[in-house]
Amino acid sequence: MNKQNENPAEENPEKLLDLKVTEPKIWAAGIPAVTAALSDVVEEAGMVRGMEALFRMNKKGGFDCSSCAWPDPDDDRSPIAEYCENGAKALAEEATTKKLTGEFFAQNAVADLAKLNDYEIGKKGRIAQPVYLPKGGTHYQSISWDAAFKKIAEHLNALASPNEAAFYTSGRTSNEASFTYQLFVREFGTNNMPDCSNMCHESTSAALAEVIGIGKGTVTLNDFYDTDVIIIMGQNPGTNHPRMLTALQKAKENGSKIIAINPLFEAGLMGFKNPQTVKGLMGITTQLADLYLQVEINGDMALLKAIEKLLYAAEVESPGTVFDHEHIKNKTVGYIAFLHHLDQYKIEDLAIAAGVPLRQIREAADMLKNKSRIIICWAMGITQHTNGVDTIKEIVNLAMLKGSIGKPGAGLCPVRGHSNVQGNRTMMIYDKPYEKQLDKLKKVFGFEPPREHGYDVVETIKAMNDGKLKVFFAMGGNFLSAAPDTVYTAEGIRKMKLTVNVSTKLNRSHLVHGEESIILPTLARSDKDVVGGEVQFISCENSMGVIQMSKGVLNPISNDLMSENQIVCKLAKATLGNRTVIDWDKYAKSYDEVRDIIEKVIPGFDDYNKQVRKPGGFYLPNAAREGKFETDDFGDKVPFTIAELPEHKLQDDEYMMTSIRSHDQFNTTIYGLDDRYRGIHNERRVIFMNRKDIQKAGFQEGEKVDLFNYHGGRERVARLFIVVPYNIPERNTATYYPETNVLIPIDSVAKKSNTPTSKLIFIKIKKHVPQNQN
């Protein structure tokens, strides 16, 4: 068996802190959320600077939060605060007055910084000037912008083929910068554009595009306010999308029922104390979930089929009262074959596969039986499985049976993670662009874009290791920590001739690098963006297809920062030189010019500059939202799809592990070391286990263990975790990422979407052995 070396990119795991465990919460937000939010902002940015930014965040005419993609209300935005605790923490990270200059990098070797944990690295401050790590160098050193662009251009132009470079995109990147970025990359000559969607909602995009004709959700925020039932699957809104709690509370007040489906009991699915209401401040909790189905990890497909089978039985008993036959007849194909497929299952077997008591599944079916205004929400707990695409199609099956798409108060709601990840894809950040998109680029700009599909994230990591890539350029994000199979990814990155990161703050991706490395510091969302004396604004797309402006309000902490759009345009000019047919200076100087050209290339952006200046922005067209479907293979009909149940055969000493966020992080950014909703304080290296499993394995609460994965005959190990008993199904475990990303095999991906299976990793747990005793 091939045993990997210890992760060269991982924090030192031999240093544990003083873990304190308390009872998990049964409600989210409340006064503790307000206290945590304000203390972080004041500590990092100061009272005046911090409060100025908080007051303008997510407000009309202000700036868009850089964390999650939950939409702002169209009309009833809070006069007090339109942000959540984690949004405030995200602001604190970027509004900090701490800055890293050339002097800091001269005093701190890369090897020494790499010994810090992710929390310590992130708290160092904003990067204040471009820096460069030469081949064989030990310290980053200052470099001018022009010299940095020249060096990157030299590397790119020395490649034997443009396909020897890959250009990654983070979900924070604006519409304007995303568009010019893909334009530059394609004029350079490649479609190697991996992006963070590849690691999160790619399964959603693949599934929905195939069956409803658009890879996006179909609801608006107003639909939540007047619906009958909301189903929340594989999503933890209290931590990952806290502003969603306000929408759920309003839904409950208007009579909606909520069904929560999750392997863990999450505070933000059970109750909410709204800190912007008198009741919330008094400690009065709004109950959220009316029914909580504690499904086993990846038991969602079995659960959906069980619900469908029960609804079918009810329809047979009372024809025409459960299924929407007019909708099925006019909008779908494959109904009879789908029913025959359901007939092959026994309801008892489905309940066992789901891990949910049959009586609870019957209760869920009864809640849905006579309703059609149903909204189904999901996130990573659904998408990051080998069968993620099929499970999403099963969600569509349920919605189509009930006629729950294309009417007010009903539809599909994939809840996106990063604030403009959906906008990135709309702006053509995609490794597999459609021919009609490329044809439009050719028509508008006059160059022939590459037609060959490029690399997604997993393919990029493999290409790095196979020697097919020489340059890796990252527009934002923390690629190493976000990616699967951390050791393998790090090995690939170290093989690059040049790595470039456009960043606001220091992260681990700067410390695991190619032969040469450059960090280009960029403006944050909250920063004023002034070009040639003119204040610019950017735009973003939220989870529900609303395009709105974002205009920073803070003075940047350094005069040596550059916006993402300017970085792209200046790099394009330096790289392409006389070969370019595009006026990059025009797009660098005016974002209005960028929006004008977007309008000519991408459908739905008519009068872009005029519409985006309207308070609240505008909705992009969404035919499925109106009940109109445009699929490639089925015309104006939605196919009922047939998929088999996933099978998970565990060895006697094997467990299923899902990776989750703590409440004190956003994606790979670690705000702190507490997860107060789950009762974890001052530590992140924990593994949540069922108490019975702890006893059977001979472990003790608080014992130190190591975690192993053996996929493909390769040993992967994450060392030194603390066992914490938790209410989680037997043989199911949970850990925080990115600490356990090292265990996610590069070859374990979702079918069709190629998304890493971060929500289901098969592991073995062994008593911890200090490395010096191995």
Side-chain angles (χ1 to χ4, degrees):
M1 178 174 288
N2 178 22
K3 180 177 179 179
Q4 285 189 347
N5 294 325
E6 277 303 307
N7 183 2
E10 193 181 30
E11 65 195 41
N12 176 15
E14 293 300 326
K15 181 175 64 175
L16 278 181
L17 302 174
D18 184 18
L19 170 66
K20 179 183 177 183
V21 180
T22 59
E23 282 295 314
K25 300 292 185 184
I26 59 173
W27 52 268
I31 292 178
V34 177
T35 303
L38 295 181
S39 63
D40 267 32
V41 170
V42 172
E43 179 183 350
E44 291 290 340
M47 179 65 74
V48 175
R49 178 178 169 89
M51 292 302 105
E52 177 188 7
L54 274 179
F55 184 73
R56 299 303 300 157
M57 187 161 69
N58 295 325
K59 296 290 186 68
K60 294 177 180 178
F63 65 93
D64 205 26
C65 177
S66 62
S67 57
C68 86
W70 188 254
D72 303 317
D74 289 339
D75 301 312
D76 58 344
R77 299 193 191 191
S78 168
I80 303 171
E82 195 55 63
Y83 56 83
C84 67
E85 174 188 349
N86 279 356
K89 290 177 178 178
L91 173 64
E93 290 282 309
E94 65 182 45
T96 183
T97 55
K98 294 181 291 189
K99 56 184 179 181
L100 310 183
T101 63
E103 182 180 359
F104 168 86
F105 288 102
Q107 295 173 353
N108 291 273
V110 173
D112 292 333
L113 291 172
K115 295 176 183 177
L116 303 176
N117 64 38
D118 291 329
Y119 171 66
E120 293 167 331
I121 293 171
K123 286 298 180 183
K124 290 298 181 183
R126 290 282 299 273
I127 301 169
Q129 62 187 98
V131 290
Y132 166 63
L133 182 69
K135 183 176 181 179
T138 58
H139 294 68
Y140 278 100
Q141 55 192 341
S142 300
I143 188 174
S144 70
W145 280 101
D146 286 345
F149 290 139
K150 180 180 179 182
K151 185 165 289 292
I152 298 168
E154 288 173 349
H155 273 275
L156 291 175
N157 288 325
L159 298 175
S161 163
N163 289 327
E164 290 184 336
F167 299 84
Y168 176 73
T169 312
S170 160
R172 189 200 66 192
T173 307
S174 69
N175 285 345
E176 292 77 10
S178 295
F179 184 82
T180 54
Y181 188 43
Q182 65 81 29
L183 188 63
F184 158 56
V185 172
R186 291 194 164 100
E187 192 182 22
F188 176 66
T190 185
N191 283 315
N192 288 345
M193 278 184 276
D195 73 305
C196 58
S197 283
N198 300 151
M199 295 184 281
C200 59
H201 267 287
E202 196 66 59
S203 295
T204 294
S205 299
L208 295 187
E210 183 178 337
V211 295
I212 69 169
I214 184 172
K216 302 179 181 182
T218 67
V219 298
T220 70
L221 191 54
N222 288 334
D223 288 320
F224 278 79
Y225 304 154
D226 189 16
T227 186
D228 293 321
V229 183
I230 300 170
I231 302 175
I232 305 173
M233 307 180 67
Q235 183 207 356
N236 176 18
T239 288
N240 299 340
H241 310 90
R243 285 201 299 154
M244 183 179 177
L245 299 179
T246 303
L248 296 178
Q249 180 185 43
K250 191 166 184 177
K252 291 286 292 186
E253 290 171 348
N254 292 338
S256 176
K257 301 293 185 181
I258 295 176
I259 300 174
I261 302 170
N262 204 293
L264 286 77
F265 279 89
E266 301 286 14
L269 289 169
M270 293 186 283
F272 177 44
K273 295 181 180 180
N274 189 340
Q276 296 197 44
T277 66
V278 174
K279 288 184 177 180
L281 291 174
M282 292 174 61
I284 298 174
T285 304
T286 297
Q287 178 190 345
L288 295 179
D290 297 275
L291 178 63
Y292 206 119
L293 305 180
Q294 191 180 25
V295 70
E296 287 202 358
I297 294 172
N298 202 23
D300 307 271
M301 173 74 84
L303 178 60
L304 288 166
K305 288 184 184 294
I307 291 173
E308 291 163 345
K309 190 171 180 69
L310 290 172
L311 292 175
Y312 178 36
E315 171 65 23
V316 171
E317 183 176 331
S318 301
T321 64
V322 179
F323 290 171
D324 187 335
H325 285 281
E326 182 178 357
H327 183 85
I328 292 170
K329 178 182 178 181
N330 296 327
K331 302 290 185 178
T332 73
V333 295
Y335 173 64
I336 300 301
F338 174 71
L339 295 183
H340 288 161
H341 171 72
L342 284 182
D343 281 338
Q344 77 179 16
Y345 295 105
K346 293 181 179 180
I347 189 66
E348 295 81 7
D349 293 339
L350 290 172
I352 292 172
V356 178
L358 182 53
R359 59 176 175 79
Q360 287 191 319
I361 303 177
R362 292 188 188 279
E363 188 176 349
D366 286 342
M367 291 173 66
L368 300 174
K369 185 167 58 177
N370 298 316
K371 307 296 184 184
S372 66
R373 297 192 308 160
I374 301 167
I375 295 174
I376 308 178
C377 308
W378 70 90
M380 307 299 97
I382 300 297
T383 66
Q384 293 177 331
H385 292 281
T386 55
N387 56 295
V389 172
D390 284 339
T391 302
I392 294 164
K393 290 180 180 179
E394 200 70 43
I395 290 172
V396 176
N397 286 343
L398 176 58
M400 298 308 288
L401 288 172
K402 298 296 296 176
S404 297
I405 302 181
K407 66 174 63 172
L412 307 173
C413 183
V415 185
R416 305 278 176 170
H418 219 154
S419 60
N420 198 43
V421 63
Q422 188 161 296
N424 295 163
R425 186 57 56 85
T426 301
M427 293 294 111
M428 297 171 55
I429 297 292
Y430 191 29
D431 54 284
K432 299 173 181 62
Y434 299 107
E435 285 296 316
K436 60 184 178 182
Q437 293 177 317
L438 300 177
D439 290 342
K440 180 66 75 168
L441 283 181
K442 180 178 180 180
K443 180 179 179 181
V444 172
F445 292 102
F447 72 89
E448 180 61 57
R451 304 282 170 163
E452 179 185 2
H453 285 174
Y455 296 139
D456 62 19
V457 164
V458 168
E459 292 164 342
T460 292
I461 296 169
K462 290 181 177 181
M464 287 176 171
N465 278 279
D466 292 342
K468 297 178 180 178
L469 288 176
K470 300 292 188 296
V471 175
F472 180 74
F473 188 105
M475 180 61 73
N478 182 355
F479 184 80
L480 173 68
S481 293
D485 220 337
T486 315
V487 173
Y488 181 73
T489 299
E491 290 170 351
I493 290 173
R494 293 188 190 281
K495 293 179 179 179
M496 297 298 94
K497 294 293 185 182
L498 174 69
T499 49
V500 183
N501 285 273
V502 178
S503 304
T504 56
K505 300 191 71 179
L506 194 68
N507 65 52
R508 194 165 296 280
S509 292
H510 306 137
L511 310 177
V512 175
H513 49 77
E515 290 182 3
E516 297 176 74
S517 179
I518 294 175
I519 307 174
L520 303 178
T522 191
L523 296 173
R525 287 270 177 84
S526 55
D527 290 333
K528 291 179 182 176
D529 187 352
V530 181
V531 180
E534 294 289 330
V535 178
Q536 306 286 328
F537 69 84
I538 60 171
S539 59
C540 302
E541 179 182 347
N542 64 36
S543 264
M544 295 178 187
V546 177
I547 305 293
Q548 59 187 11
M549 67 182 293
S550 177
K551 193 173 185 179
V553 299
L554 298 179
N555 291 321
I557 53 95
S558 167
N559 292 325
D560 212 4
L561 306 182
M562 193 177 292
S563 74
E564 291 171 320
N565 181 64
Q566 281 203 304
I567 290 172
V568 170
C569 293
K570 291 179 181 294
L571 177 59
K573 188 176 179 181
T575 303
L576 301 174
N578 294 330
R579 306 197 308 272
T580 187
V581 297
I582 296 166
D583 187 348
W584 294 104
D585 287 336
K586 179 173 68 173
Y587 299 135
K589 293 175 182 176
S590 170
Y591 301 176
D592 276 352
E593 293 283 0
V594 178
R595 287 185 284 272
D596 281 342
I597 203 64
I598 289 174
E599 179 182 334
K600 295 180 180 179
V601 175
I602 300 177
F605 286 84
D606 299 341
D607 295 323
Y608 192 177
N609 271 307
K610 180 179 179 181
Q611 289 204 80
V612 79
R613 283 176 164 84
K614 294 178 181 178
F618 64 96
Y619 281 89
L620 288 176
N622 188 316
R625 181 177 292 156
E626 302 171 6
K628 301 173 183 177
F629 306 105
E630 303 167 357
T631 62
D632 289 340
D633 297 329
F634 301 96
D636 60 354
K637 300 293 179 65
V638 174
F640 280 100
T641 55
I642 294 174
E644 300 300 328
L645 295 180
E647 292 187 21
H648 307 308
K649 296 181 180 179
L650 297 176
Q651 299 177 22
D652 290 343
D653 60 345
E654 198 170 30
Y655 302 83
M656 293 188 290
M657 187 192 83
T658 189
S659 62
I660 57 177
R661 294 184 197 171
S662 84
H663 189 64
D664 237 357
Q665 76 179 93
F666 179 76
N667 291 345
T668 59
T669 302
I670 312 302
Y671 301 141
L673 300 175
D674 294 340
D675 187 2
R676 70 174 187 275
Y677 290 160
R678 298 189 184 102
I680 301 298
H681 307 272
N682 203 42
E683 184 55 76
R684 290 180 51 82
R685 299 186 78 86
V686 301
I687 179 167
F688 297 107
M689 295 182 67
N690 184 286
R691 192 173 292 274
K692 291 181 180 179
D693 289 333
I694 295 173
Q695 294 172 349
K696 289 178 182 178
F699 298 136
Q700 301 291 325
E701 179 178 348
E703 186 165 0
K704 299 172 183 177
V705 296
D706 297 331
L707 314 179
F708 295 83
N709 170 273
Y710 295 99
H711 182 91
R714 175 184 294 171
E715 180 184 273
R716 299 168 181 83
V717 57
R719 298 194 184 279
L720 195 53
F721 284 74
I722 301 173
V723 173
V724 175
Y726 207 77
N727 185 354
I728 188 171
E730 291 183 58
R731 308 294 292 277
N732 288 216
T733 66
T735 59
Y736 300 129
Y737 71 84
E739 286 83 352
T740 52
N741 282 10
V742 65
L743 299 174
I744 305 170
I746 192 68
D747 289 320
S748 181
V749 295
K751 299 172 185 176
K752 294 190 178 181
S753 69
N754 215 31
T755 297
T757 59
S758 305
K759 288 295 180 284
L760 175 51
I761 308 103
F762 297 98
I763 65 167
K764 295 188 177 185
I765 307 171
K766 303 178 183 180
K767 293 179 184 292
H768 173 64
V769 178
Q771 287 183 262
N772 57 13
Q773 295 182 22
N774 284 342

